[in-house]
Amino acid sequence: MKIKNIFKFLIIAFLATQLGACDKNEAEQKFDKMPTERLNIQKKELNDVLLSSEYGWKAVYFTDNTQLGGFTHLFKFSADGRVAMASDFDSDTSIYNSDYSIEVGSTVSLLFSTKNRIHLLSDSNNSPTAGLKGRGYKGDFQFLYYGQENGEIIFKTNRGFQELRFVKATAEDWTDLELNTKMAQNVIGSDKRPLFRLLEINDGTEIHKLDFNYASRARFATANSGEEDYSVSYNMGIAFTKTGIIVSPALEVNNQQLTEFIYDDSTGDFTATGTNGVSATIKYSKKPVIVTDDYKLLLPGGGNNVYAYEYRLTEFEGPNSALFLSLLEDIEKASGVPLVRAQLWFNNTDETNYIEYRSGDDQTEERYYHYFTIKADDVNKTVTFTPGVWKKSTATAGDSGTPPEGPTISRPSFLKALDDEFMNPNGLYFTEVPVMGYRGYTFASTTTHFRMVVNNL
């Protein structure tokens, strides 16, 4: 090749290299700008839509519908970074003001930056069940922005990556929010109605009845069938509305998804209605749906068994009745310390039965022992306790201890109301119930609203 041609070739190659480098630099600059521009566009978009609704936004937040219910929150955003907020977390539906910001990171997010009602769900000291100790209600207060659909703002939670939608609120949403908390009491149940509840499922051709239990702190319900040929169960988080409840996940009945239950004040029923005769109704019942032979475990020949109410463990369970929980509160007010255990011992080596009440703090416990004899009703599958003598001892908290040999005492006044429920002359039901982490049973009255969950030790 001639020197002249070689020189031309080198010049062309050099220019091509420079042009390629320029194109690459320009492409890199564009690439650097594109995400930033996109995020800024999204930030403005989110800011504009948050401010666009006259009455703000509403979100029904199910933090974990496998064990917790839903909580309604209302938000009214201001251009100065302030937000007015209300919720039905508890009876306080007042409006509180705090700060919010729109953050830009790998994505755009809405951050509630100072404490307000939404933070009640993320407070690790605010746990509704023993299993969630230190985790609170598993809530979040930062939400990743994922756009809009049909007038709704779509978010995903920062930690759990669960979808949460904001819908436009109305003036009535703010004024009627307190009705949600009144509806909560209807789900718990009235002491003017029977103790037991059932979930009646109509699939359009057959009707089935399931035992229904609701845990008010967690806003979570379980329903289990007692029919041998119908092994269906439901677990559902519950959120309140002014007309009833919504459940998540939906109840699937004959391929239909039922989510909204309407309350009937005349009967106390909550009913979700589908098509072609499909429905689901939460009803009151005069007796348990599931009545078993578990009571025989308490009788002579059933072995030495111990069943205990345990402070901060079994008290969180859904089947505990409002009456039982109120009796615990009354005991603590009267004695100044909580009742840490109500422990029923059956078929001891000396052929005795007794209830061991432990009342105290972290250092010492006062222990009261109420002896009783037991009688069974094999027709109604219940047991009746006949009261005997009382004794007392003092022990270091945590000691196993044994009943004292000393003299008898009079019944402590602060234990009277609870003890009367155990000694009901009309008897008690005793049935195993599904719980997490231990084998649970309930003692339930045949005539009052008393029901207590116990751990089989």
Side-chain angles (χ1 to χ4, degrees):
M1 183 181 293
K2 295 180 178 181
I3 294 176
K4 183 178 181 179
N5 290 338
I6 293 172
F7 182 74
K8 287 181 178 178
F9 176 79
L10 291 173
I11 291 175
I12 292 170
F14 175 76
L15 291 174
T17 302
Q18 293 302 308
L19 288 171
C22 290
D23 290 343
K24 182 180 179 182
N25 290 336
E26 184 178 355
E28 286 177 347
Q29 289 173 3
K30 287 182 178 179
F31 183 81
D32 288 340
K33 289 180 180 179
M34 286 176 61
T36 303
E37 290 173 356
R38 175 176 55 80
L39 290 172
N40 285 332
I41 290 171
Q42 285 186 326
K43 179 179 180 180
K44 183 178 185 306
E45 178 182 289
L46 177 56
N47 181 71
D48 290 346
V49 72
L50 289 176
L51 300 175
S52 67
S53 178
E54 179 180 5
Y55 298 106
W57 298 89
K58 178 173 74 171
V60 182
Y61 186 10
F62 285 87
T63 57
D64 179 358
N65 67 3
T66 67
Q67 56 184 322
L68 294 166
F71 301 84
T72 298
H73 286 75
L74 299 173
F75 312 96
K76 183 69 172 71
F77 298 92
S78 301
D80 61 358
R82 299 287 284 172
V83 58
M85 190 186 307
S87 83
D88 68 356
F89 179 84
D90 52 29
S91 59
D92 183 2
T93 56
S94 301
I95 299 172
Y96 294 90
N97 293 289
S98 59
D99 297 328
Y100 79 95
S101 60
I102 298 176
E103 300 294 314
V104 176
S106 59
T107 186
V108 172
S109 64
L110 170 63
L111 172 66
F112 294 101
S113 49
T114 58
K115 191 173 182 180
N116 207 323
R117 304 294 287 168
I118 194 78
H119 294 82
L120 291 169
L121 300 178
S122 60
D123 185 348
S124 61
N125 295 317
N126 192 19
S127 301
T129 68
L132 289 172
K133 186 176 181 179
R135 302 170 67 192
Y137 283 82
K138 301 183 68 176
D140 214 330
F141 50 85
Q142 185 170 14
F143 305 99
L144 312 179
Y145 176 54
Y146 273 77
Q148 301 169 49
E149 182 179 76
N150 299 324
E152 301 177 354
I153 310 175
I154 305 170
F155 293 101
K156 289 190 178 179
T157 57
N158 185 46
R159 288 180 290 185
F161 215 60
Q162 297 170 296
E163 184 177 285
L164 178 66
R165 294 195 174 217
F166 283 21
V167 301
K168 285 188 176 181
T170 65
E172 290 75 20
D173 285 329
W174 293 89
T175 58
D176 294 347
L177 186 61
E178 65 176 350
L179 298 179
N180 287 20
T181 62
K182 294 180 179 179
M183 188 58 64
Q185 185 57 50
N186 294 326
V187 183
I188 293 171
S190 168
D191 58 7
K192 295 180 174 58
R193 302 186 192 274
L195 167 63
F196 304 103
R197 307 287 279 278
L198 62 85
L199 176 65
E200 184 177 274
I201 298 295
N202 188 337
D203 64 9
T205 57
E206 295 181 329
I207 293 177
H208 301 278
K209 298 182 188 316
L210 292 79
D211 182 59
F212 180 87
N213 289 294
Y214 172 67
S216 60
R217 287 191 181 104
R219 297 191 182 181
F220 195 75
T222 59
N224 297 282
S225 172
E227 303 173 27
E228 292 184 1
D229 57 348
Y230 185 73
S231 57
V232 172
S233 63
Y234 296 100
N235 298 317
M236 66 201 90
I238 288 178
F240 313 128
T241 71
K242 65 181 181 181
T243 59
I245 60 174
I246 55 177
V247 301
S248 177
L251 268 68
E252 184 172 340
V253 181
N254 198 9
N255 297 318
Q256 296 185 38
Q257 304 292 312
L258 305 179
T259 59
E260 184 176 5
F261 287 70
I262 304 301
Y263 179 64
D264 181 349
D265 187 55
S266 65
T267 61
D269 294 351
F270 289 85
T271 301
T273 305
T275 60
N276 300 320
V278 168
S279 66
T281 304
I282 301 167
K283 295 183 172 184
Y284 285 94
S285 175
K286 292 183 178 179
K287 62 183 297 185
V289 171
I290 302 174
V291 180
T292 69
D293 288 335
D294 291 338
Y295 74 100
K296 293 181 180 179
L297 296 171
L298 313 179
L299 304 179
N304 178 215
N305 288 309
V306 184
Y307 303 92
Y309 152 76
E310 296 182 67
Y311 182 61
R312 298 304 186 198
L313 176 64
T314 63
E315 70 172 305
F316 288 113
E317 301 295 352
N320 285 317
S321 67
L323 172 60
F324 169 60
L325 296 176
S326 70
L327 292 175
L328 293 178
E329 293 176 359
D330 292 343
I331 289 172
E332 185 165 357
K333 288 177 183 177
S335 66
V337 289
L339 183 71
V340 294
R341 288 206 181 198
Q343 195 160 265
L344 290 88
W345 296 71
F346 296 90
N347 306 313
N348 297 298
T349 54
D350 58 358
E351 298 183 352
T352 62
N353 311 295
Y354 56 82
I355 306 175
E356 177 187 6
Y357 297 101
R358 297 186 185 183
S359 179
D361 53 28
D362 293 336
Q363 301 302 318
T364 61
E365 292 175 344
E366 297 293 331
R367 299 186 180 183
Y368 303 89
Y369 302 86
H370 188 192
Y371 288 81
F372 62 86
T373 57
I374 186 170
K375 179 177 65 176
D377 180 340
D378 293 321
V379 175
N380 294 307
K381 299 186 177 182
T382 61
V383 290
T384 302
F385 303 154
T386 301
V389 300
W390 283 79
K391 294 186 178 184
K392 178 184 176 181
S393 72
T394 301
T396 301
D399 286 354
S400 56
T402 56
E405 298 293 336
T408 62
I409 63 168
S410 300
R411 177 170 62 179
S413 59
F414 67 92
L415 291 175
K416 179 181 185 304
L418 176 58
D419 192 71
D420 281 345
E421 294 295 339
F422 289 122
M423 302 300 150
N424 185 342
N426 295 296
L428 302 168
Y429 294 106
F430 180 73
T431 307
E432 185 171 4
V433 293
V435 295
M436 294 292 290
Y438 59 91
R439 192 167 189 179
Y441 292 80
T442 58
F443 287 96
S445 174
T446 57
T447 57
T448 73
H449 280 75
F450 176 79
R451 181 167 51 185
M452 178 182 79
V453 177
V454 291
N455 180 12
N456 182 202
L457 300 179

